[in-house]
Amino acid sequence: MQRFPFVKKAMPALFFLFFAISARAGDWPQSFTGSDGASYTVYQPQVTGWAGNIFSAKAAVSVTPQGAAAPTFGTVEISAPALVDKPSGTVALQQASVTKAVFPGAPSQASAYAATVAAQATQWGASLSLSAIQANLAVTTSESGPSKTVPVANTPPVIYYSQGTAVLVLVDGEPALREVPGSKLLRVINTTSLLLMDKKNAAYYLRINGQWATAGALGGPWSVAANPPQSLASVLASVASEKNLQLFDPPAGSSGSPMPAVYVSTQPAELITTQGAPQFAPVPSTQLLYVTNSASSIFVDEATQQYFVVISGRWFRAASLTGSWEFVPADQLPAGFAKIPETHPAGKVLASVSGTTQSKEAGISATIPQTAQISRQATTSVNYAGGKAQFAPIENTSMAYAKNTATPVIQISPDKYYAVENGVWFVSPTPDGPWTVAESVPPAIYSMPPSSPVYYASNVYVYGSTPDYVTFGYTPAYFGSYLAPSGVVVFGTGFSYPPFIGGGVWIGPPLTFGFGAGFACGLATGFAFGLAVDHGWGCSPWWGPWHGGWGAANVNINRNWNNINVNRQNVYNRWGNDINVSNRQFNNNTINNAKNRNWENNVRNN
């Protein structure tokens, strides 16, 4: 193990990790400018162990050299003897030393970066909170701690291919049809699209391109409706104010656009398109060809003549663009993928190729928590479809989750319930409340498997507390970004979860496919997660933390993935006056101390 004795000399007493375990645990991340002119950000550290009197911890660090367009990510690990004073509840670290520093994008600078962080850190505090250390250690040692990989599923979705403009309509399982009052129409409620059936002729109607398309079956073929039922107009007017409804309107300022190809799927699905027949160009230094006229990342391996496409961070291959597609682990791709030049248009896929600098940095970024101190006075409420909570077991655990609400509610025992709202844990003796801020979370919650629809809630953590505030944090996995065992970050668990449909209510679970989700880690973007625009001009799919359920536009993100960085999205902004701001910055974005929270119920109720 590499050590850095120069840091030890600079830090005779306390090391920089007074951190999350100080009384001001919400003061993370910490940002400063080094003597080298670079911008440094040290993120919420994690206590990795405490054996005997030896304390160890690890922190993610981002460094943006002077004049650079994007940061490089790395980690710094330390160990130190710990002196504990239980009566005062404090801990002092002595003779701390850096045991390891890793910066995949700048390995030759790792020692210098670690020294700069250590030198700055002496200004950050003088004592540690024993209770906060214990809370932080409980988080890290939980079975599904924030730095561990997730055994995601990788079953290929249905992949549609179109040579031209197309849209993908997702229906969450078989269509759930409900009567539209005062008409002979039935509405499909388990979709974000406006999809109806005419009981008179059993024909489907889809609102798209400023008009109606029709088909005799969901699978099509779809065509412009020559004489749509007049009652469709009144339905369209009545849903104008509905949130998250996708009408596939044509681009602003356009007129006379042709009807795009329409694909409707009741299974997990994805859409890839090319503008006309695929056009190929060689990728320098590889045996790969790159499809240049597609918003998707499509390749051909000249050696095997196989097509490769990356979707939601996962690779699939087939003999042709029409399938059949099979999953390829990111660490078993042809060698040429790791040789793609970062500056090449195809370089954005390097974050999804095992062993690359970009995938290593993405993996580090995926462990960085967003943190905030939340007032103990904060509270929440939970709405259940039908009025009463309905629970379903969580596989391989003694816990259960409420299936008829868009809020993750987990039953630990008959008189203990936990819920997550906007990155904050709440606890209650009943599923109906009253809900109070939780100052700890049972380790069992972190043992829930990714096959559970509420797994994403297990990526929200309690890092410490004071008499007035509790420090919470969530990793990007709360937004659906998981570090897979192959060493790359993927979107979604890959599991297909059942929706809740009862009466006129649809509450959908997290999805993995259907939104063109992708990752990038490059010179211009840093690590970024976003949504491609490969679903056609009309699609602006939702994306956000899943406590709101499918269809919840809880975080509004530009569809152009080059403008998206998941680390810039801070759900704690919603806590208004219940967040302890103190002019701090989180992930370089100043907290917006809004006066009103945004409580979105996010269920389709017709």
Side-chain angles (χ1 to χ4, degrees), residues 544-559:
W546 285 319
H547 66 276
W550 184 24
N554 289 316
V555 177
N556 294 319
I557 296 181
N558 187 307
R559 286 183 292 124

Side-chain angles (χ1 to χ4, degrees), residues 7 21 102 143 145 194 239 247 258 357 450 508 510 523 562:
V7 176
I21 46 187
V102 176
E143 188 170 338
L194 185 54
V239 301
L247 294 178
T357 296
L523 296 174
N562 288 323

Side-chain angles (χ1 to χ4, degrees), residues 280 286-290 298-308 317-318 333-337:
F280 301 93
T286 74
Q287 287 187 295
L288 300 174
L289 300 177
Y290 176 63
I298 307 171
F299 300 84
V300 172
D301 178 27
E302 292 182 276
T304 62
Q305 295 296 297
Q306 293 280 308
Y307 284 84
F308 288 79
R317 69 183 171 199
L333 292 167
F337 281 97

Side-chain angles (χ1 to χ4, degrees), residues 21-113:
I21 46 187
S22 73
R24 291 171 59 84
D27 290 349
W28 291 95
Q30 291 280 352
S31 298
F32 63 92
T33 300
S35 59
D36 55 0
S39 298
Y40 289 77
T41 300
V42 181
Y43 296 89
Q44 177 89 41
Q46 306 299 314
V47 180
T48 55
W50 196 338
N53 73 325
I54 301 300
F55 170 90
S56 59
K58 179 179 182 180
V61 179
S62 68
V63 182
T64 305
Q66 194 170 20
T72 181
F73 285 95
T75 57
V76 176
E77 301 178 24
I78 67 101
S79 66
L83 299 180
V84 179
D85 183 357
K86 288 189 176 180
S88 65
T90 60
V91 178
L93 303 184
Q94 295 187 330
Q95 298 178 339
S97 60
V98 175
T99 57
K100 188 176 183 181
V102 176
F103 286 84
S108 64
Q109 298 296 314
S111 297
Y113 289 163

Side-chain angles (χ1 to χ4, degrees), residues 412-473:
I412 299 295
S413 66
D415 60 353
K416 189 73 72 173
Y417 298 82
Y418 288 83
V420 169
E421 181 70 42
N422 291 325
V424 175
W425 280 108
F426 293 88
V427 63
S428 172
T430 76
D432 299 312
W435 296 96
T436 58
V437 173
E439 64 176 19
S440 65
V441 179
I445 283 180
Y446 298 105
S447 70
M448 77 171 74
S451 58
S452 170
V454 294
Y455 173 75
Y456 65 96
S458 69
N459 295 282
V460 177
Y461 305 93
V462 179
Y463 287 113
S465 61
T466 71
D468 298 319
Y469 294 94
V470 177
T471 300
F472 290 94

Side-chain angles (χ1 to χ4, degrees), residues 160-380:
Y160 297 100
Y161 169 64
S162 176
Q163 290 189 8
T165 305
V167 294
L168 174 62
V169 176
L170 297 175
V171 179
D172 196 7
E174 292 302 312
L177 296 163
R178 298 295 184 268
E179 290 189 358
V180 176
S183 74
K184 295 183 179 180
L185 298 174
L186 300 173
R187 183 175 179 183
V188 179
I189 66 168
N190 53 331
T191 179
T192 57
S193 304
L194 185 54
L195 182 61
L196 302 107
M197 174 188 278
D198 186 352
K199 290 189 290 185
K200 183 177 180 180
N201 55 14
Y204 284 97
Y205 291 88
L206 172 70
R207 185 65 181 181
I208 184 172
N209 197 29
Q211 54 195 321
W212 295 97
T214 186
L218 288 180
W222 290 84
S223 60
V224 176
N227 296 296
Q230 293 184 352
S231 53
L232 288 173
S234 60
V235 174
L236 180 61
S238 68
V239 301
S241 61
E242 282 191 13
K243 294 182 179 179
N244 313 314
L245 182 64
Q246 178 56 260
L247 294 178
F248 299 103
D249 288 328
S254 65
S255 60
S257 300
M259 177 68 67
V262 176
Y263 299 92
V264 179
S265 181
T266 58
Q267 306 174 56
E270 194 68 57
L271 172 66
I272 57 177
T273 65
T274 55
Q275 297 305 306
Q279 303 297 311
F280 301 93
V283 179
S285 305
T286 74
Q287 287 187 295
L288 300 174
L289 300 177
Y290 176 63
V291 176
T292 61
N293 59 334
S294 174
S296 297
S297 296
I298 307 171
F299 300 84
V300 172
D301 178 27
E302 292 182 276
T304 62
Q305 295 296 297
Q306 293 280 308
Y307 284 84
F308 288 79
V309 63
V310 60
I311 298 172
S312 295
R314 297 165 171 83
W315 289 93
F316 302 95
R317 69 183 171 199
S320 72
L321 287 173
T322 57
S324 298
W325 296 90
E326 63 176 353
F327 170 69
V328 182
D331 55 1
Q332 297 179 27
L333 292 167
F337 281 97
K339 300 177 182 178
I340 297 174
E342 184 178 28
T343 55
H344 190 273
K348 62 186 179 183
V349 304
L350 288 169
S352 298
V353 179
S354 294
T356 63
T357 296
Q358 293 79 5
S359 66
K360 292 176 181 178
E361 291 198 354
I364 293 171
S365 184
T367 69
I368 296 174
Q370 173 73 63
T371 60
Q373 287 184 312
I374 303 299
S375 170
R376 289 179 180 269
Q377 301 302 313
T379 188
T380 189

